[in-house]
Amino acid sequence: MGNKSSLMLQEEEIAEIQDETGFSPSQIERLYSRFTSLDKGDNGTLSREDFLRIPELAINPLGDRIVHAFFTDAHDDRINFRQFMHVLSRFRPLKKNRENKFNSREEKLRFAFRMYDLDDDNKISRDELLAVLHMMVGANISEEQLASIADRTIMEADTDGDQMISFEEFCATLERTDVEEKMSIRFLH
Amino acid sequence: MSSVSIRTKLTFISVFLILNLPASSALAEQARVNTESVHEETPRNIDHLSKTNPTVSPVFHTSSSGIANRREQGNSIEEDTKNHENHRYHVATVDFPHVSIPYIISAWILIAGLAKIGFHVTPKIGLICPESCILIVVGAIIGLLLFYTGLERVGPLTPNVFFLYMLPPIILDAGYFMPNRLFFDNMTSILLYAVVGTVWNALTIGFSLWGVGLTGLYGVDMPLLDTLLFSSIVSAVDPVAVLAVFEEIHVNEVLYILVFGESLLNDAVTVVLYHMFEGYTEMGQKNILPIDYLAGVLSFIVASLGGALLGVVWGILAAFLSRFTHHVLIIEPLFVFVLGYLSYLTAELFHLSGIVALTFCGMTMKNYVEENISYKSHITLKYTMKMLANTSETIIFLFLGASTVNENHDWNTWFVIMTILFCSVYRSIGVLIQTWMLNFFRLHKINKVEQFIMAYGGLRGAVAFALVLVVSEKYIPSKSMMVTTIIVVVYFTVFLQGMTIGPLVRFLNVATSNKTKPSMNERLHTRLIDHLMAGIEDIAGHLIGNYHLRDKFKHYNNKFIRPLLTRDHHVKEPKIFETYSKLNLTDAMNLVKQNNIMGSVTRIDQKISLSSLIRSYTQSNLPRYSDGSVLSSQGVTSQSESSFVNLDMGELAYSPSYKDLADAQLHHILSDSMFKPPRRLHRYSRDVIDETTPHPPFHHKTRMQIRHILNDKKSKKRKGYHHNNVRNDYICNGKGPKSQKYSRQKKQNTDSNSRKTTSLRFTLPASISEISEVENYSHQNQEMVLDDDDNPLFGTVFSPDDNGITFTARMTPPENDTHKRDTDKISQSTATMPLSCTITETTLPWKRDENCTDGCCVWKQQEFPPWVDNKEYHVYTSLTNTFMGKISSDADTKTPDVFTVFGLEKPIQEDTKNENINTVNKFIVSQTDNIGAESVLPKEEDSANLEIENVETANRFINRQLYNTGAESALSGEYSFYHVHPKESEEFVSKNQKAENKVDVSIEMQDKLAKVPQMLNSWQESQAFVINLSDEEIMSERL
């Protein structure tokens, strides 16, 4: 598998991706093999269906949202390997003495923020929050309870009083949280 | 055995002395036979202990004598009846052996408690050394006392007492309150440290000691197996000592969980190594076959995995049982303890690791049990567990200290030095190597300082001591030397390292933990991030990623395990709800307890206005002067217990009709009888505390308690009312639509002053949706409707309906509240006003935006009092006609500047000078209701409603006025200060004071804000006039 994928991946392409994202060549090859294994149609791009075919994502309450987040920069409904890598590079652990273009704290937070902010207006509205709550908590809970949780959440974060959570407010609420660590995974070599 | 019998003989002699019985030798003989048989009956290991270990526990010691004593009493009675000797009935007898066991135990516990109190009472000790050191010292002192009083045999810390009774509570506490997530996040590291680290330590220390022993340095022959047995005991980090020290130094949680988790889990290794080497020693070095080594390795796997598995099974059982314990609410917490203890004992039964079993049992049952049991049980559980653990810990250290004083020490300097040296060195090396390996894989790299603290925090404690006592002297001749050495190592680590680790942590700047309750946002977003990361790991193809595994576990947990183990399992994310209800509870509690300071909590931004400052000031100081002197002098009820003061001018003049009063009274009666459930006769039952319904999950009902608190307050307040004819309810709400209604009521009831009622309603801007609700209660004077926009935490509304407090989150931004009289017209979207805006700031003309063209800055009066039709009055007497005419007509063109409309240069109308002051004030007030803070506008027609920018001018003006009107000393009316130094204004006011005066301090000088409260204070103390602070004033009616 590794051989095959590296054959398909041009050397200069690896170098470029490495340059852009900071992944090591072996990580890129590994992820490329993952990419191709997800790509059932063998057309070099991934569609939403390809993602949703991952069984674990199917049980993830936010599976749809996560997949959706991969397609924010895509023009059509498919993403190529480079876009795929760009999204994943946000989750590289932070290196202290290196430039962190994609995986800065802000970028990580931005990604999490986008999970809520469906309409891309840079604000989490009450409805958007409620929708996510619904997904996470499940349907068995009463509407009022969820609504009061959502209200409480907004009220807590809302400093400028527009009843929405802006990105700045979002970051402020997570000030104490070690986002750099929480939103990083160690990509296998 | 001989030593035992001698000792028992001694005991009997003492017993005879105590009982004042004749010491017949035949009797003693018989009794001795009895006790010997008793000794035969005692468990094997105790027997074994007492044979090998000269320090026999007092418990067993006295137990045998106690039993013997009873038998002997029986015997002696028989003898007595036979011999008819001169025995008389005793008035009082001392029978210590009868109570000796519990007595001694209780005494120890008492001493432990006293030592703890002493530690916390003495201020400086806590800074110098951790509690455990002090306890050991106290224990040692007690040990010395016992030693020199000849009771040195009372070596209290026996392995059995320690392992069976004192260790389990600590471990259960540790397991039950273990931060599960943190633990499993660092599971790999903890396991590596616990297993590999401990084995490494044991082997290296053992071999090194043996190697040094070959040189003959110790002067004692130390075979390899002996040193290995010893090193396996001494290598294990002790959970009790670590807990005691690390809980005091507050290092960051990762570091804490690494050291603490290691100390818990390495017990499995220690137990196995210990049993293995003990077995080998008993077999003799020559007889060991390779198969035995293999068995040793296997037994490790069995002991650790078996212990963990056993713990999980018992934990699940406990969780399952807790599903049904709500039927027996009172003993609900018991199940947790009993099942936990059983898991420990079961593990010990099979020679598995009891500590590991109990840890896992606690960790497993925790989440499910917490969901099932009631809130009260939860509290009970928590405190009982902490209490037991704390007591055990204290006693362990005391015993440790007391046990050091005995005469069986065998001090071997080189052995001690070598042990300490190797312990420190190999632990450091081990930590370094393992961390180096781990840092390849860890996201949170363990830095050098943390590594140092980890190595340094490897404290040894009572576990090692208890283990070494179990060692059989038969096979290990150098046992007493080992005991001594272990004691020295324990002292060395607990004292030297335990005392210095705190300063070191501070000196090395180790990241310390700042544990706070998660906010709703944090809880929610972290959950989202968890899901997100699990998804990313899935996509990237990490099938053993942390997030992935956790998500998978959560999924199956929700799908299969929780339905089985919990009663209420339809909620997928109990933690979110838990956080929510916890936060709500805290909010509500804060609201109830500290409502007097709310509003002033978070407002320290530059937008703070004088009025908001004073509002918070008066709020926080109200209880002081509402309970007594100042107010009572004015014939106002002094018992008005309200913590809420009317800060809104507009509401002050609310003087309801008799019908309103009757309504209110009826409402009092109704609410009194309806809020409190009818008192039922409770039959006393031991099974049930008065809690008829089982507690719902997530503790939503705790709000009921709040309601009761509120209710109590209210009833107290009401009691106050009944003593007074004058009812003082305060309604302060300037901003709701209802204020218009009030104004109407007010003017209808202007002559009902004889029985004046002011209502307090403390409603800072509430949302539109709530206003209707609030309005429903607007004439129920005793209700408190609070909504505070200043503190974002207090976004709840207490609506005083019979459903208790409902937490209604607010829907609309507070800014809109200033507009809400025009809610129909104004869209809510473009509000950008700062939160701290008071009504003055938003409605006063001179504070308005000049270019404001839409209706949001000036409100036309919507309702008009009846006198507007009265032309004569309108023209000649109404003070409001001026601005009504001007502002209303100019509103659509340009907002008039107040100074052009009402400036001081404007001539005072002569014909209104002699207007009745009362009416004037009244109309000011009624006007306020309609147009917010217009009360501050100067009404130049009356005696004097002054806006003072320059005190000199004002003085001149007043003099002129006095001259014109022929008034005596001062003018009635309002004084409003602008840009006037507080000192000056104070002088001015004191000079011109008159009972009816109002002083409006709108000093807009940021730097002098701080002085205003003092100023107010002095005014209030010296005289009784109104201080009208922009939109807020204090009880004009009291004058």
Side-chain angles (χ1 to χ4, degrees):
Chain A
M1 195 69 183
N3 273 338
K4 187 188 153 206
S5 60
S6 56
L7 277 180
M8 289 163 69
L9 206 60
Q10 300 298 319
E11 284 294 328
E12 59 265 30
E13 206 171 348
I14 292 180
E16 269 176 44
I17 292 175
Q18 185 185 359
D19 205 39
E20 283 172 23
T21 62
F23 281 115
S24 73
S26 63
Q27 282 172 329
I28 294 173
E29 277 177 36
R30 210 193 154 276
L31 286 170
Y32 189 68
S33 78
R34 177 70 182 165
F35 183 82
T36 44
S37 74
L38 289 178
D39 182 17
K40 294 285 187 242
D42 272 342
N43 33 23
T45 54
L46 291 182
S47 67
R48 285 168 200 266
E49 288 71 36
D50 287 328
F51 279 110
L52 291 173
R53 228 175 270 133
I54 304 172
E56 289 84 8
L57 264 191
I59 61 165
N60 194 322
L62 297 173
D64 287 339
R65 291 283 174 108
I66 296 166
V67 173
H68 180 76
F70 272 81
F71 288 89
T72 41
D73 296 331
H75 302 296
D76 50 358
D77 262 1
R78 306 191 71 82
I79 58 163
N80 59 28
F81 181 59
R82 190 168 291 195
Q83 287 162 329
F84 180 74
M85 291 303 278
H86 275 206
V87 176
L88 284 186
S89 68
R90 285 170 212 278
F91 302 102
R92 285 178 51 239
L94 235 63
K95 290 274 186 331
K96 270 197 193 103
N97 39 14
R98 222 177 290 166
E99 187 199 9
N100 296 294
K101 193 170 138 205
F102 288 105
N103 57 345
S104 67
R105 180 186 170 93
E106 195 189 328
E107 278 300 318
K108 287 176 195 291
L109 280 171
R110 177 79 64 183
F111 195 91
F113 185 76
R114 266 200 233 127
M115 301 294 291
Y116 291 102
D117 185 23
L118 269 194
D119 57 4
D120 271 337
D121 63 348
N122 218 15
K123 281 188 191 311
I124 303 174
S125 72
R126 185 171 178 269
D127 289 336
E128 284 167 342
L129 193 65
L130 259 182
V132 173
L133 261 176
H134 252 296
M135 291 178 181
M136 292 204 299
V137 176
N140 289 324
I141 202 75
S142 79
E143 226 21 83
E144 298 96 71
Q145 270 181 314
L146 279 190
S148 54
I149 290 182
D151 288 333
R152 158 98 221 190
T153 312
I154 288 180
M155 196 184 65
E156 204 177 78
D158 189 22
T159 47
D160 60 5
D162 60 353
Q163 300 295 294
M164 314 251 247
I165 302 177
S166 68
F167 180 62
E168 287 72 32
E169 288 163 348
F170 181 78
C171 294
T173 58
L174 288 176
E175 225 164 26
R176 292 183 302 177
T177 316
D178 193 2
V179 177
E180 290 94 333
E181 194 187 314
K182 274 211 161 69
M183 290 193 66
S184 300
I185 52 174
R186 215 179 45 80
F187 287 95
L188 301 178
H189 288 278
Chain B
M1 205 59 193
S2 61
S3 72
V4 174
S5 55
I6 289 167
R7 212 175 307 123
T8 40
K9 250 184 198 164
L10 284 170
T11 325
F12 291 133
I13 291 166
S14 66
V15 163
F16 288 138
L17 288 174
I18 289 168
L19 291 180
N20 199 14
L21 290 172
S24 83
S25 62
L27 205 61
E29 199 66 59
Q30 196 180 356
R32 206 188 65 209
V33 173
N34 280 340
T35 31
E36 271 165 11
S37 65
V38 168
H39 265 279
E40 245 97 65
E41 284 161 29
T42 52
R44 184 189 54 81
N45 43 6
I46 298 168
D47 201 33
H48 159 80
L49 265 175
S50 48
K51 264 185 280 178
T52 54
N53 177 19
T55 58
V56 173
S57 88
V59 176
F60 297 117
H61 174 76
T62 42
S63 86
S64 55
S65 64
I67 296 165
N69 174 41
R70 241 167 280 133
R71 297 184 179 194
E72 168 203 357
Q73 265 180 313
N75 290 335
S76 61
I77 288 165
E78 281 170 29
E79 300 254 334
D80 286 352
T81 46
K82 256 185 241 164
N83 298 342
H84 297 287
E85 280 181 23
N86 52 349
H87 276 296
R88 294 287 173 268
Y89 185 77
H90 295 275
V91 176
T93 46
V94 179
D95 187 5
F96 182 70
H98 177 56
V99 294
S100 63
I101 305 164
Y103 207 95
I104 289 174
I105 293 173
S106 307
W108 273 112
I109 294 175
L110 179 69
I111 292 169
L114 289 179
K116 236 177 151 64
I117 293 174
F119 174 77
H120 286 284
V121 167
T122 329
K124 280 187 184 153
I125 283 182
L127 298 173
I128 302 166
C129 55
E131 205 179 275
S132 43
C133 300
I134 300 298
L135 291 173
I136 289 184
V137 170
V138 172
I141 293 169
I142 296 173
L144 276 175
L145 285 177
L146 292 177
F147 186 79
Y148 284 111
T149 49
L151 294 162
E152 88 281 0
R153 290 181 309 273
V154 189
L157 191 68
T158 64
N160 267 302
V161 173
F162 176 75
F163 281 118
L164 292 185
Y165 305 113
M166 285 173 10
L167 193 56
I170 300 174
I171 305 300
L172 179 64
D173 175 65
Y176 194 82
F177 293 106
M178 172 85 75
N180 275 3
R181 167 157 195 178
L182 203 60
F183 182 81
F184 283 111
D185 273 353
N186 298 293
M187 184 78 168
T188 341
S189 315
I190 292 171
L191 276 180
L192 189 77
Y193 287 125
V195 177
V196 180
T198 311
V199 172
W200 153 268
N201 276 342
L203 292 183
T204 48
I205 294 172
F207 278 108
S208 304
L209 283 178
W210 173 70
V212 173
L214 288 184
T215 63
L217 194 63
Y218 312 137
V220 187
D221 181 36
M222 289 290 280
L224 178 62
L225 276 178
D226 288 15
T227 55
L228 279 176
L229 178 65
F230 175 75
S231 67
S232 70
I233 294 170
V234 86
S235 63
V237 176
D238 181 59
V240 185
V242 165
L243 256 181
V245 169
F246 271 67
E247 276 190 350
E248 285 180 36
I249 59 174
H250 303 294
V251 290
N252 64 63
E253 46 188 11
V254 174
L255 189 54
Y256 172 77
I257 202 77
L258 285 178
V259 180
F260 181 51
E262 180 201 339
S263 72
L264 279 177
L265 294 193
N266 68 15
D267 175 67
V269 185
T270 314
V271 165
V272 170
L273 284 179
Y274 174 77
H275 282 300
M276 199 166 84
F277 288 124
E278 193 188 31
Y280 292 163
T281 331
E282 280 171 21
M283 285 156 63
Q285 203 163 356
K286 287 160 273 170
N287 306 328
I288 303 173
L289 298 174
I291 189 90
D292 294 319
Y293 292 116
L294 189 67
V297 175
L298 281 180
S299 76
F300 162 69
I301 296 168
V302 169
S304 52
L305 290 186
L309 196 71
L310 209 68
V312 170
V313 169
W314 280 100
I316 287 175
L317 191 66
F320 184 69
L321 265 180
S322 72
R323 261 187 85 160
F324 309 103
T325 48
H326 62 276
H327 299 295
V328 282
L329 220 46
I330 273 226
I331 56 165
E332 203 168 31
L334 187 72
F335 288 96
V336 171
F337 292 105
V338 168
L339 288 165
Y341 194 40
L342 277 175
S343 78
Y344 182 85
L345 292 182
T346 319
E348 290 287 303
L349 175 72
F350 295 112
H351 270 241
L352 307 174
S353 166
I355 294 183
V356 172
L358 191 48
T359 309
F360 274 86
C361 180
M363 284 165 66
T364 313
M365 72 166 112
K366 172 174 69 180
N367 278 332
Y368 307 109
V369 167
E370 289 289 285
E371 280 184 51
N372 282 336
I373 61 173
S374 76
Y375 186 67
K376 283 178 185 172
S377 300
H378 166 75
I379 298 286
T380 316
L381 191 63
K382 187 171 156 187
Y383 276 89
T384 317
M385 209 173 264
K386 291 279 175 210
M387 186 189 77
L388 286 179
N390 223 313
T391 318
S392 293
E393 190 186 302
T394 314
I395 295 178
I396 285 174
F397 282 118
L398 272 184
F399 277 11
L400 203 57
S403 304
T404 49
V405 186
N406 62 53
E407 51 197 3
N408 300 305
H409 284 302
D410 183 359
W411 178 270
N412 189 322
T413 315
W414 281 111
F415 192 66
V416 168
I417 290 175
M418 284 300 151
T419 309
I420 291 178
L421 183 74
F422 290 139
C423 274
S424 317
V425 168
Y426 286 121
R427 172 146 181 101
S428 307
I429 294 175
V431 166
L432 279 179
I433 294 174
Q434 290 167 75
T435 319
W436 175 74
M437 290 196 295
L438 280 173
N439 270 347
F440 279 110
F441 303 100
R442 284 182 63 89
L443 272 175
H444 177 115
K445 310 275 187 236
I446 304 164
N447 61 35
K448 285 275 176 273
V449 174
E450 285 171 330
Q451 289 176 36
F452 172 73
I453 296 295
M454 280 194 67
Y456 203 73
L459 306 175
R460 270 60 164 191
V463 172
F465 180 69
L467 271 178
V468 81
L469 285 185
V470 189
V471 169
S472 148
E473 209 160 2
K474 197 166 120 197
Y475 302 109
I476 315 274
S478 52
K479 181 191 165 183
S480 51
M481 185 179 85
M482 285 186 183
V483 174
T484 310
T485 313
I486 292 272
I487 287 175
V488 174
V489 171
V490 169
Y491 272 48
F492 178 81
T493 54
V494 169
F495 276 87
L496 206 74
Q497 297 184 352
M499 276 165 76
T500 48
I501 196 166
L504 268 176
V505 162
R506 283 188 288 274
F507 176 72
L508 293 173
N509 242 339
V510 181
T512 46
S513 73
N514 44 347
K515 254 217 140 157
T516 39
K517 274 189 198 167
S519 70
M520 206 58 230
N521 273 283
E522 282 172 331
R523 176 66 82 188
L524 212 57
H525 301 328
T526 13
R527 276 310 294 144
L528 177 103
I529 289 173
D530 287 348
H531 284 304
L532 169 64
M533 294 316 291
I536 297 293
E537 279 187 351
D538 297 336
I539 290 172
H542 289 228
L543 295 183
I544 48 159
N546 261 348
Y547 290 101
H548 168 82
L549 290 178
R550 183 183 304 113
D551 223 46
K552 216 160 195 175
F553 171 73
K554 281 227 160 171
H555 179 70
Y556 289 117
N557 185 28
N558 278 328
K559 208 169 174 187
F560 302 113
I561 306 177
R562 286 188 60 232
L564 186 73
L565 297 184
T566 58
R567 260 191 297 150
D568 182 16
H569 49 81
H570 60 270
V571 185
K572 264 195 194 163
E573 297 282 351
K575 281 275 164 57
I576 290 181
F577 285 86
E578 201 185 296
T579 312
Y580 175 66
S581 45
K582 263 188 197 159
L583 284 173
N584 257 350
L585 189 65
T586 347
D587 287 359
M589 282 308 222
N590 283 341
L591 203 59
V592 171
K593 278 184 190 157
Q594 314 174 357
N595 47 26
N596 50 348
I597 56 153
M598 71 191 193
S600 59
V601 189
T602 53
R603 288 293 127 202
I604 320 174
D605 50 347
Q606 76 292 348
K607 280 291 186 184
I608 193 163
S609 70
L610 175 67
S611 22
S612 60
L613 183 94
I614 296 197
R615 178 173 62 203
S616 49
Y617 169 76
T618 39
Q619 271 164 28
S620 56
N621 285 278
L622 188 79
R624 188 169 52 76
Y625 55 81
S626 72
D627 61 359
S629 54
V630 179
L631 300 186
S632 55
S633 67
Q634 293 145 49
V636 186
T637 171
S638 56
Q639 287 95 335
S640 64
E641 253 276 39
S642 69
S643 323
F644 312 111
V645 66
N646 186 354
L647 300 169
D648 190 354
M649 170 103 187
E651 296 301 323
L652 289 172
Y654 174 50
S655 39
S657 64
Y658 285 112
K659 183 176 167 291
D660 288 339
L661 291 174
D663 276 354
Q665 218 140 27
L666 186 65
H667 183 89
H668 288 182
I669 296 163
L670 280 179
S671 63
D672 270 350
S673 51
M674 285 167 77
F675 270 171
K676 284 173 198 141
R679 205 157 280 185
R680 262 168 294 159
L681 270 179
H682 286 295
R683 240 178 305 149
Y684 174 72
S685 160
R686 277 203 310 187
D687 304 335
V688 184
I689 304 180
D690 179 18
E691 190 176 43
T692 42
T693 50
H695 217 284
F698 315 130
H699 316 141
H700 287 307
K701 268 205 177 165
T702 37
R703 66 197 159 111
M704 297 294 282
Q705 296 173 341
I706 313 281
R707 200 186 73 180
H708 278 293
I709 295 172
L710 275 183
N711 220 11
D712 284 353
K713 268 201 156 181
K714 264 184 264 165
S715 55
K716 243 190 247 165
K717 197 166 81 181
R718 259 174 245 135
K719 239 179 252 167
Y721 289 145
H722 297 313
H723 297 296
N724 291 278
N725 284 335
V726 182
R727 172 170 304 239
N728 243 47
D729 298 349
Y730 309 108
I731 293 191
C732 64
N733 176 358
K735 301 165 189 176
K738 66 176 180 295
S739 49
Q740 289 175 5
K741 198 171 69 190
Y742 284 149
S743 70
R744 253 185 170 170
Q745 285 171 338
K746 211 176 305 160
K747 76 178 160 6
Q748 284 162 6
N749 302 312
T750 39
D751 42 4
S752 70
N753 288 344
S754 56
R755 201 182 170 192
K756 199 164 277 176
T757 302
T758 326
S759 299
L760 176 127
R761 181 165 297 273
F762 184 80
T763 307
L764 299 177
S767 68
I768 293 150
S769 59
E770 287 151 12
I771 282 301
S772 57
E773 190 188 8
V774 166
E775 234 176 334
N776 292 336
Y777 298 95
S778 57
H779 22 259
Q780 300 162 2
N781 300 336
Q782 83 287 8
E783 304 294 7
M784 294 177 286
V785 177
L786 353 154
D787 184 12
D788 184 7
D789 66 320
D790 277 348
N791 189 344
L793 286 175
F794 295 142
T796 52
V797 172
F798 288 80
S799 75
D801 54 0
D802 288 348
N803 296 330
I805 301 150
T806 47
F807 298 107
T808 318
R810 299 205 324 252
M811 317 277 287
T812 43
E815 289 79 83
N816 289 340
D817 303 327
T818 57
H819 309 158
K820 66 179 156 255
R821 268 155 289 184
D822 276 19
T823 35
D824 301 340
K825 297 181 216 161
I826 303 166
S827 72
Q828 306 176 6
S829 53
T830 56
T832 49
M833 300 296 290
L835 272 171
S836 63
C837 272
T838 60
I839 198 162
T840 320
E841 288 163 3
T842 51
T843 52
L844 281 183
W846 57 87
K847 294 184 176 183
R848 237 178 252 149
D849 255 347
E850 286 296 313
N851 51 3
C852 179
T853 50
D854 58 355
C856 67
C857 25
V858 182
W859 283 278
K860 289 188 190 174
Q861 195 169 13
Q862 314 245 312
E863 263 178 75
F864 296 97
W867 46 260
V868 279
D869 296 332
N870 184 343
K871 270 282 179 252
E872 204 178 4
Y873 174 81
H874 188 53
V875 172
Y876 294 112
T877 56
S878 167
L879 69 155
T880 51
N881 64 346
T882 42
F883 74 81
M884 277 178 61
K886 297 239 176 181
I887 295 180
S888 329
S889 59
D890 291 356
D892 42 354
T893 55
K894 196 210 169 219
T895 321
D897 187 6
V898 71
F899 293 108
T900 64
V901 181
F902 306 109
L904 282 175
E905 60 272 18
K906 189 130 183 161
I908 315 281
Q909 292 175 9
E910 292 285 318
D911 50 352
T912 56
K913 265 178 213 155
N914 298 322
E915 177 60 34
N916 182 350
I917 290 155
N918 282 341
T919 12
V920 169
N921 282 340
K922 223 150 275 157
F923 286 133
I924 294 168
V925 168
S926 62
Q927 202 53 52
T928 316
D929 286 321
N930 289 331
I931 315 188
E934 268 81 356
S935 63
V936 197
L937 299 182
K939 315 301 179 300
E940 63 272 49
E941 50 182 315
D942 185 45
S943 337
N945 289 331
L946 299 180
E947 284 187 6
I948 298 163
E949 277 191 291
N950 185 327
V951 177
E952 273 182 40
T953 331
N955 275 328
R956 246 182 286 142
F957 172 75
I958 286 178
N959 288 338
R960 199 179 69 217
Q961 283 292 103
L962 287 174
Y963 179 73
N964 284 344
T965 53
E968 304 116 5
S969 59
L971 288 179
S972 313
E974 297 182 8
Y975 300 144
S976 310
F977 294 97
Y978 299 100
H979 311 290
V980 174
H981 192 279
K983 196 83 182 169
E984 282 184 322
S985 54
E986 191 177 350
E987 281 171 16
F988 178 80
V989 169
S990 57
K991 193 171 130 199
N992 294 296
Q993 62 170 300
K994 204 177 172 186
E996 289 86 0
N997 280 13
K998 291 180 172 183
V999 181
D1000 181 1
V1001 189
S1002 302
I1003 308 157
E1004 290 165 282
M1005 289 177 291
Q1006 295 285 335
D1007 51 334
K1008 283 158 193 156
L1009 284 183
K1011 294 177 186 161
V1012 174
Q1014 296 138 27
M1015 196 170 91
L1016 289 180
N1017 242 350
S1018 66
W1019 287 354
Q1020 281 162 6
E1021 280 160 19
S1022 59
Q1023 63 230 2
F1025 59 70
V1026 175
I1027 299 166
N1028 179 3
L1029 305 157
S1030 312
D1031 60 329
E1032 302 155 353
E1033 89 167 6
I1034 304 157
M1035 319 299 154
S1036 71
E1037 301 306 319
R1038 291 181 178 161
L1039 299 177

